[in-house]
Amino acid sequence: MAMGLYLLLLSFSLLPPVFSTYHITLTKSYGLAITDGNRTIVNNSVILAGSQNTTASALRNNTQQLSYSFITPTVAKVQLNTTYPFLGARFTTATSSHFYGVWEYPFSAQITNKNVSFDLKGVGNAEGINWSNARAPFFITSAGYGVYADTLGMGSYDFKTPGEAQFIFNTSNLSYYIILPKSEGDYKSIIEQYTALSARPGMPPTSGLGPTFWSDDFEQDFHGTVSNAQENFYDVVNHLYYNQIRATSMFADRPYGTGNRSFGNFDFDPKFYPDPEGFIANLSDWGFDFQVWIANRAFFKTELFNTSQTNNWLFPGVDPVQFLGPALNLSIPAAYDYFKKSLEYFPSVGVKGYKIDRGEEEEMPVWEQNFQMTLFLQLAYDTMIKRWGKSNFYNFARSAVDRSRARTAIWNGDSHANFTGLAYSVASGIRSGIISFPIWGSDTGGYTRETGSTQSPTEEVWARWMWFSAFSPVYEFMLGTNHTPWYSPYTNSTQTVDVLKQTANLHSELIPYIKSYAYAASKSGAPIMRALFLEAPQDKNTWEINDQYFFGAEFLVAPIVSSGGTRTVYFPAGGSKKYLEYFGKKDIHAVGDTARVTLSVSSSPVYVTQGAIIPRGDVYQGNARWIDNWSPKLTVEVFPSFEVKESRFTYFKGEGADGEGVEIKMTTNTSGKSLKVTYGDLGATGTVRVYLKSGVKDVELQEGGGEAKLDGVECLF
Ligand SMILES: *[C@@H]1O[C@H](CO)[C@@H](O)[C@H](O)[C@H]1NC(C)=O
Ligand SMILES: *[C@@H]1O[C@H](CO)[C@@H](O)[C@H](O)[C@H]1NC(C)=O
Ligand SMILES: *[C@@H]1O[C@H](CO)[C@@H](O)[C@H](O)[C@H]1NC(C)=O
Ligand SMILES: *[C@@H]1O[C@H](CO)[C@@H](O)[C@H](O)[C@H]1NC(C)=O
Ligand SMILES: *[C@@H]1O[C@H](CO)[C@@H](O)[C@H](O)[C@H]1NC(C)=O
Ligand SMILES: *[C@@H]1O[C@H](CO)[C@@H](O)[C@H](O)[C@H]1NC(C)=O
Ligand SMILES: *[C@@H]1O[C@H](CO)[C@@H](O)[C@H](O)[C@H]1NC(C)=O
Ligand SMILES: *[C@@H]1O[C@H](CO)[C@@H](O)[C@H](O)[C@H]1NC(C)=O
Ligand SMILES: *[C@@H]1O[C@H](CO)[C@@H](O)[C@H](O)[C@H]1NC(C)=O
Ligand SMILES: *[C@@H]1O[C@H](CO)[C@@H](O)[C@H](O)[C@H]1NC(C)=O
Ligand SMILES: *[C@@H]1O[C@H](CO)[C@@H](O)[C@H](O)[C@H]1NC(C)=O
Ligand SMILES: *[C@@H]1O[C@H](CO)[C@@H](O)[C@H](O)[C@H]1NC(C)=O
């Protein structure tokens, strides 16, 4: 026995090392090359070092400061320990290659980084969306690999030269990783390996996915008998109830507290919130979680400002009298602890998360942004987790760097309330997915609005955006002065309320599906909104499509982002050979085709893949108190095709950290013209709904798991 084990170990040690497929070598020009024995797969043409980021040049023969090796069969780690203050690298590909990632913000409304050169910082004022700021020191190239620079230092990325990607960071020690796919074209596996090295997205509570309603200022715009902010929220609760519009949470943007600019005294203003604890308890009873606005900004003469100034915690050189109050330097442990302790007031009265604003408005030196935002998101997370436990609260930020993705979700900043803003928002959502910030939403209808004769959004923009939010991971909706659908003086309020109800309730129905993909993201980093190339990597036509995405793997979504209701949809060649239009369930499209579609505001172009399994239904009650004896109901929609022998879906049952994945599987058999759907305990009653040529066939879901078998079927596609 002992001898047998010894021989077994010996024979293992004689096997060739598993890392044998790829080799990394120093080239004659002091770059690095990864080959598979025959071909150069990665050309890291130059390693950069210098005393300034503008003068960094090739490290050349100083290579004793450099180490490189494969740490897994598909990930090479390159490490530089130098005395140069700036380090970086350049990668060279064919000039036709595309580069993706780094920023959420879509420069020129594009998902690629073609002709972009910018720092790894918040983007600030920009076309389409102001302050679209999520970012990651990570890019993917269509040449077939990804690169992750493991640092929070300030850096710059340059993609201006076709066939070239370059980064330089303000650091003398830098590790970067070159990540190859686990199989050719598997770009999702690049994201998976990257997020294993940096951080995986956190799992949100169901209430975070929305629909979520909020206002920029609940302290004004009173209607009827409303006389304070609390009652203003209750008025929203009532309107949602009477219109039977589903919702799961609400939040208060600024102002809501006392003092200058209403933030920094860690309280609610009693004039507008006479009883914060009772108010939040009421919202909770009616099915809403509640969040408040915070930022690392010390507004003049607030408690936050006074304490920080006394202790020298504020970044110097930022004029406190300006609207741009300074930030606290959270690298100072006492400042960090004070801020954290002060914020604990909010969870203590029932607040279940923060809208975390700013961090990129010059309230701190630019090279501090990545460090400071990471610290702030951490302390905000810590105050919430202490009170509520993992995944039981919802924090979402405008500015975040990749290591914070386990701590925060994202909203895309101040989008413009017109079709330009919508198009940019769609592209920013896709980009947010590429850098693995999957839990993402945009202000439905846009944030930056025009008043006067060009009131925005128009009802058309608003309606198209609502459809986009229905197929976004998070559906959030801004109300307020002139922008509350049921009070809107300048839009057709009947249409707006109708489309709001239709899309919010659809999003709510899709929660079982969305939550399952949020769970998948927390395990693998794979986004929910997926660039087409993530699902159809072999189809070269997909590389530059900015306004279509896969939502999960089963839905192909093509939001209408211009006026008139017409657009062209491209059907990418991925796993599915055909697509079925989802709402009518009649039109079938072959891959490689394009279709010209025209739709009224009561629909949107959405398609499903062959073999799709789509769990949807009513699994989270939220505000739906109009339903007596509510209990969870699930409909497992399946779209069989004999061209797909087997398909699977991991359904996420339960809440947050207490939930679990349950397998649903469909197999088809051409010769028997049969199909079978098997599933574990899905935790709800309901139906397996099979879409066939003959129509819909419903089979009751069995408690504790079971199967549905059908014979003699004709598939739709
Ligand atoms: C390298 O080329 C040889 C000869 O064409 C081929 O047999 C082998 O599979 C190739 N190796 C790889 C890793 O592509
Ligand atoms: C890598 O790129 C550099 C710069 O374009 C080029 O000179 C070199 O030949 C390339 N190396 C390989 C192996 O392709
Ligand atoms: C150098 O750093 C500054 C400040 O971070 C930045 O604005 C600039 O783009 C950088 N330049 C290069 C070539 O990386
Ligand atoms: C290589 O190193 C030597 C001494 O270490 C130095 O004199 C020379 O300038 C270096 N060459 C380059 C191209 O950096
Ligand atoms: C760089 O520093 C790290 C950590 O101190 C060390 O593990 C690594 O071996 C060093 N690499 C080189 C090339 O000096
Ligand atoms: C960076 O690398 C240098 C050279 O190896 C080393 O002396 C220094 O301690 C390193 N600094 C950090 C922060 O790791
Ligand atoms: C690249 O961007 C610059 C502005 O940054 C612009 O002037 C130029 O025309 C762009 N080039 C291409 C090829 O798009
Ligand atoms: C948003 O950014 C644009 C630049 O694209 C700027 O003109 C505008 O003033 C900004 N809007 C706000 C509200 O700051
Ligand atoms: C690099 O960081 C240092 C602080 O560590 C800062 O003083 C300097 O301005 C930064 N340089 C650039 C170009 O960002
Ligand atoms: C509020 O802050 C402004 C500057 O933003 C300052 O001018 C004003 O004095 C402050 N007001 C109070 C009451 O502290
Ligand atoms: C949207 O608004 C911005 C300014 O806020 C403007 O520059 C842009 O042209 C507008 N787009 C459309 C399609 O009206
Ligand atoms: C307003 O919208 C409703 C519902 O879409 C529609 O029936 C009605 O005709 C519209 N009214 C006007 C004035 O356009």
Side-chain angles (χ1 to χ4, degrees):
M1 184 67 188
M3 181 59 95
L5 186 63
Y6 175 74
L7 285 175
L8 192 68
L9 288 172
L10 186 71
S11 64
F12 268 120
S13 68
L14 292 177
L15 288 172
V18 277
F19 302 175
S20 63
T21 329
Y22 295 117
H23 306 276
I24 182 163
T25 51
L26 194 64
T27 64
K28 285 200 200 79
S29 50
Y30 303 101
L32 294 169
I34 293 177
T35 63
D36 67 358
N38 295 348
R39 290 177 306 142
T40 301
I41 308 292
V42 178
N43 183 359
N44 181 181
S45 47
V46 186
I47 295 164
L48 293 157
S51 58
Q52 284 299 326
N53 65 348
T54 44
T55 57
S57 60
L59 187 68
R60 308 295 301 173
N61 58 355
N62 293 318
T63 48
Q64 69 278 9
Q65 301 171 339
L66 167 75
S67 65
Y68 49 88
S69 62
F70 271 93
I71 56 166
T72 77
T74 47
V75 176
K77 178 174 185 178
V78 180
Q79 202 162 16
L80 288 155
N81 301 338
T82 73
T83 49
Y84 295 105
F86 291 89
L87 294 175
R90 184 182 304 153
F91 290 80
T92 306
T93 65
T95 52
S96 57
S97 297
H98 300 285
F99 296 95
Y100 304 89
V102 189
W103 306 276
E104 173 192 25
Y105 179 73
F107 296 90
S108 312
Q110 296 190 94
I111 63 165
T112 79
N113 288 333
K114 186 189 279 185
N115 198 26
V116 178
S117 172
F118 198 74
D119 298 346
L120 191 73
K121 64 178 182 186
V123 171
N125 284 337
E127 196 182 346
I129 316 163
N130 299 37
W131 317 107
S132 182
N133 293 326
R135 54 198 182 271
F138 167 69
F139 70 81
I140 290 179
T141 166
S142 63
Y145 58 91
V147 179
Y148 164 46
D150 184 8
T151 175
L152 288 174
M154 182 48 64
S156 313
Y157 276 81
D158 186 350
F159 299 96
K160 284 219 173 243
T161 309
E164 235 176 70
Q166 174 177 302
F167 54 78
I168 302 173
F169 281 93
N170 189 347
T171 180
S172 30
N173 301 60
L174 178 68
S175 296
Y176 63 91
Y177 297 84
I178 303 170
I179 305 169
L180 296 148
K182 288 189 169 169
S183 59
E184 202 184 323
D186 184 358
Y187 290 95
K188 287 199 294 266
S189 74
I190 296 176
I191 297 175
E192 180 183 355
Q193 296 173 89
Y194 152 61
T195 52
L197 292 165
S198 67
R200 287 269 159 78
M203 181 71 195
T206 304
S207 63
L209 301 173
T212 296
F213 292 84
W214 66 285
S215 170
D216 225 15
D217 188 351
F218 270 115
E219 297 185 358
Q220 57 164 321
D221 193 31
F222 299 156
H223 296 265
T225 58
V226 169
S227 65
N228 64 26
Q230 287 189 186
E231 290 168 8
N232 221 357
F233 276 95
Y234 296 161
D235 193 45
V236 176
V237 171
N238 289 340
H239 277 90
L240 294 174
Y241 185 95
Y242 290 114
N243 286 298
Q244 301 196 347
I245 295 170
R246 301 295 291 251
T248 60
S249 66
M250 291 210 265
F251 60 88
D253 202 297
R254 216 170 40 91
Y256 64 85
T258 65
N260 221 343
R261 309 284 171 190
S262 106
F263 179 74
N265 291 343
F266 305 102
D267 60 3
F268 286 92
D269 186 341
K271 179 162 181 269
F272 291 99
Y273 297 86
D275 173 21
E277 229 171 322
F279 159 67
I280 296 168
N282 280 343
L283 287 186
S284 176
D285 286 346
W286 298 330
F288 295 86
D289 280 0
F290 180 66
Q291 296 105 17
V292 295
W293 184 99
I294 62 169
N296 178 11
R297 287 292 282 277
F299 294 124
F300 197 46
K301 290 186 175 167
T302 57
E303 184 193 313
L304 181 61
F305 179 85
N306 294 341
T307 310
S308 304
Q309 198 185 37
T310 308
N311 290 291
N312 271 319
W313 294 336
L314 299 174
F315 280 108
V318 185
D319 183 355
V321 180
Q322 293 296 309
F323 177 59
L324 296 170
L328 281 69
N329 184 349
L330 299 172
S331 306
I332 302 167
Y336 184 97
D337 291 342
Y338 162 77
F339 212 137
K340 184 169 150 186
K341 190 110 212 70
S342 304
L343 280 182
E344 281 172 5
Y345 164 74
F346 293 112
S348 83
V349 294
V351 173
K352 279 196 166 177
Y354 306 112
K355 173 180 189 168
I356 305 169
D357 210 1
R358 311 197 179 182
E360 46 349 40
E361 291 187 349
E362 297 175 23
E363 64 271 58
M364 63 183 77
V366 70
W367 63 85
E368 287 278 3
Q369 276 191 20
N370 298 339
F371 296 108
Q372 293 294 326
M373 246 0 258
T374 302
L375 290 168
F376 191 53
L377 294 172
Q378 178 72 51
L379 79 80
Y381 177 84
D382 287 346
T383 67
M384 282 291 156
I385 201 164
K386 187 173 164 193
R387 171 69 181 83
W388 303 112
K390 201 174 176 195
S391 296
N392 292 327
F393 59 90
Y394 184 66
N395 283 4
F396 55 110
R398 181 171 96 175
S399 178
V401 199
D402 67 336
R403 286 187 207 169
S404 297
R405 69 167 66 84
R407 307 276 173 262
T408 190
I410 295 293
W411 95 96
N412 83 330
D414 297 352
S415 47
H416 301 179
N418 61 19
F419 277 115
T420 307
L422 176 54
Y424 270 78
S425 292
V426 172
S428 74
I430 298 170
R431 294 185 66 116
S432 194
I434 294 171
I435 56 173
S436 193
F437 279 104
I439 312 301
W440 178 97
S442 60
D443 298 346
T444 304
Y447 176 86
T448 304
R449 302 177 166 200
E450 324 235 329
T451 52
S453 59
T454 54
Q455 293 264 26
S456 60
T458 62
E459 60 215 17
E460 186 190 11
V461 168
W462 221 350
R464 299 299 179 195
W465 210 312
M466 290 180 213
W467 280 100
F468 171 52
S469 287
F471 287 90
S472 292
V474 175
Y475 189 140
E476 53 102 334
F477 197 97
M478 180 170 103
L479 307 162
T481 321
N482 287 341
H483 304 119
T484 305
W486 41 88
Y487 294 132
S488 180
Y490 70 95
T491 57
N492 180 341
S493 142
T494 312
Q495 175 184 306
T496 304
V497 174
D498 284 354
V499 180
L500 171 60
K501 178 173 178 173
Q502 190 185 3
T503 54
N505 292 358
L506 171 61
H507 182 83
S508 179
E509 270 272 318
L510 290 173
I511 275 178
Y513 181 83
I514 296 169
K515 218 165 60 150
S516 299
Y517 272 104
Y519 176 67
S522 74
K523 295 283 178 209
S524 72
I528 307 177
M529 280 180 77
R530 299 178 173 181
L532 297 184
F533 72 84
L534 293 177
E535 292 297 323
Q538 315 303 347
D539 184 345
K540 304 285 176 274
N541 295 328
T542 64
W543 294 114
E544 293 183 89
I545 296 182
N546 306 311
D547 59 359
Q548 281 185 226
Y549 56 95
F550 283 97
F551 191 59
E554 286 79 4
F555 283 117
L556 173 68
V557 179
I560 292 176
V561 295
S562 57
S563 73
T566 299
R567 67 158 290 161
T568 300
V569 181
Y570 177 70
F571 297 94
S576 189
K577 295 194 173 68
K578 288 173 198 145
Y579 295 85
L580 173 71
E581 191 279 317
Y582 181 60
F583 298 113
K585 299 180 174 71
K586 282 199 180 65
D587 298 338
I588 292 160
H589 302 275
V591 297
D593 283 358
T594 53
R596 191 105 184 115
V597 295
T598 301
L599 292 170
S600 77
V601 293
S602 61
S603 193
S604 195
V606 178
Y607 307 85
V608 286
T609 56
Q610 291 173 308
I613 298 171
I614 295 173
R616 51 180 282 179
D618 193 1
V619 297
Y620 184 88
Q621 188 175 13
N623 73 329
R625 306 296 150 124
W626 57 84
I627 300 171
D628 292 332
N629 304 317
W630 183 92
S631 70
K633 298 260 179 346
L634 202 60
T635 302
V636 179
E637 296 185 337
V638 299
F639 296 87
S641 163
F642 288 123
E643 289 184 299
V644 179
K645 296 276 159 263
E646 182 182 305
S647 46
R648 289 171 184 271
F649 189 95
T650 303
Y651 171 67
F652 184 74
K653 174 177 72 170
E655 265 300 315
D658 299 327
E660 59 173 325
V662 181
E663 212 64 34
I664 306 173
K665 185 171 97 172
M666 173 164 62
T667 52
T668 63
N669 181 325
T670 321
S671 55
K673 285 190 177 290
S674 66
L675 69 90
K676 188 162 86 176
V677 180
T678 56
Y679 48 90
D681 180 0
L682 301 175
T685 57
T687 308
V688 178
R689 180 161 293 170
V690 189
Y691 287 95
L692 297 165
K693 202 160 240 168
S694 55
V696 177
K697 179 88 183 123
D698 280 347
V699 183
E700 198 180 330
L701 265 188
Q702 289 149 27
E703 241 175 278
E707 65 176 39
K709 266 163 100 171
L710 297 178
D711 290 312
V713 300
E714 297 279 354
C715 293
L716 262 171
F717 66 143

